[in-house]
Amino acid sequence: AQSVTQLDSQVPVFEEAPVELRCNYSSSVSVYLFWYVQYPNQGLQLLLKYLSGSTLVESINGFEAEFNKSQTSFHLRKPSVHISDTAEYFCAVSGTYNTDKLIFGTGTRLQVFP
Amino acid sequence: EPEVTQTPSHQVTQMGQEVILRCVPISNHLYFYWYRQILGQKVEFLVSFYNNEISEKSEIFDDQFSVERPDGSNFTLKIRSTKLEDSAMYFCASRPLAGEETQYFGPGTRLLVL
C-alpha cells in the first residue's frame, strides 16, 4: 500500500518569493508521482508528474519537482510565485499498474500575498 | 483539447434518496475512476473501472454505491440511499490504455445531502 504525507497544510508567501511545498511518500513497490492543483471552486488539474528518467520534472508555469528515491520525497518548488498561484496543491502517488488508483496527500494551501 | 465532463455541477438531495452522478470521460480513454473529496479533507479513491467491470474499490464503496457504463460514453456513479456523510465533491477521472499514466479529472459534482 502507498501513502502520501504533506506536512504543511498552509503555506503563506509574498508575491515573487520562492516557495517549496513538501511531499513524502511511502510505498513497497515502484510508483509514479504527481502534483495536482485545485483552484478555488474548480476541479483537479495535473501540474506535473514523475514516471521515470530524469528526476527533475517541470511544468509550463514555472513549477518544478524533484524525485528523491532515497528520501522518498517529491517536493514542489517555484523560484518566484504569482498571486495567481494561490490554490490547493495535492501530491499523489500511484503504483505502476494500469488501473492503479491515485493516493492523495491532504493538500497544501498556497496563499500568495501582494 | 478534450476533457472530462460531469453533470450536474451541484446536486441537493434528501437523506435516503437515490442520486446518479454522470460523467463523460475522454473518448479514447479506457480506465475510469471515481473519487470524492469531503469538504476540507483530502481526495479519496472510490472505485476504478475497466473493461466493463470494477477493477478495484475502496472500503468507502459499499453496497450503497454502484457504477455503470451504460452506453459506451457515459460513466455513472449511483448512490442508492444517500446519507448525510455522503455530502462531498465527487470527481470522475479517466485515462488512456497505455503509455499515458495521467488521470484526467472532471470539474466535479458537489453533492449536498440534507
Side-chain angles (χ1 to χ4, degrees):
Chain A
Q2 295 103 26
S3 66
V4 177
T5 301
Q6 293 181 252
L7 290 173
D8 306 305
S9 60
Q10 297 187 59
V11 173
V13 63
F14 287 108
E15 195 173 21
E16 298 183 5
V19 70
E20 178 180 85
L21 307 183
R22 295 179 294 170
C23 172
N24 289 89
Y25 71 93
S26 172
S27 177
S28 57
V29 299
S30 297
V31 296
Y32 297 138
L33 293 157
F34 305 84
W35 277 98
Y36 281 85
V37 58
Q38 185 180 33
Y39 297 103
N41 300 313
Q42 295 187 29
L44 297 165
Q45 300 175 33
L46 178 70
L47 189 60
L48 46 74
K49 62 187 177 186
Y50 171 79
L51 305 178
S52 64
S54 173
T55 57
L56 184 66
V57 290
E58 300 176 348
S59 73
I60 58 173
N61 57 353
F63 283 94
E64 64 178 32
E66 186 160 20
F67 169 57
N68 188 319
K69 189 173 182 179
S70 63
Q71 297 188 7
T72 59
S73 67
F74 191 55
H75 302 328
L76 182 69
R77 302 183 183 93
K78 189 170 185 179
S80 176
V81 295
H82 302 288
I83 296 286
S84 60
D85 293 324
T86 294
E88 188 90 18
Y89 291 79
F90 292 95
C91 182
V93 63
S94 78
T96 56
Y97 186 69
N98 272 336
T99 59
D100 269 343
K101 59 186 178 289
L102 286 170
I103 303 298
F104 285 88
T106 50
T108 296
R109 170 84 178 151
L110 176 64
Q111 180 73 54
V112 181
F113 295 95
Chain B
E1 185 176 336
E3 57 185 22
V4 177
T5 59
Q6 291 185 243
T7 54
S9 58
H10 295 79
Q11 175 134 15
V12 181
T13 189
Q14 295 291 324
M15 188 170 57
Q17 295 296 304
E18 174 182 287
V19 295
I20 297 176
L21 310 182
R22 290 182 169 80
C23 168
V24 178
I26 296 172
S27 63
N28 63 342
H29 286 192
L30 297 178
Y31 296 89
F32 312 110
Y33 306 82
W34 283 101
Y35 294 82
R36 79 172 185 189
Q37 184 183 27
I38 295 172
L39 188 63
Q41 298 184 25
K42 66 179 178 180
V43 178
E44 301 173 292
F45 167 77
L46 292 178
V47 65
S48 58
F49 191 86
Y50 169 69
N51 200 26
N52 286 319
E53 61 183 25
I54 290 174
S55 304
E56 185 177 358
K57 59 184 180 180
S58 72
E59 56 195 28
I60 302 169
F61 195 89
D62 61 22
D63 292 344
Q64 294 299 313
F65 291 86
S66 63
V67 289
E68 196 176 38
R69 188 157 162 81
D71 56 13
S73 63
N74 290 286
F75 180 51
T76 62
L77 175 69
K78 181 191 294 185
I79 310 175
R80 290 189 184 82
S81 178
T82 51
K83 303 185 286 287
L84 297 177
E85 53 266 36
D86 293 328
S87 295
M89 180 74 92
Y90 288 81
F91 293 106
C92 173
S94 69
R95 58 182 281 190
L97 173 60
E100 171 56 76
E101 290 73 17
T102 303
Q103 292 183 27
Y104 295 85
F105 283 77
T109 293
R110 184 168 294 284
L111 176 66
L112 178 60
V113 182
L114 302 175

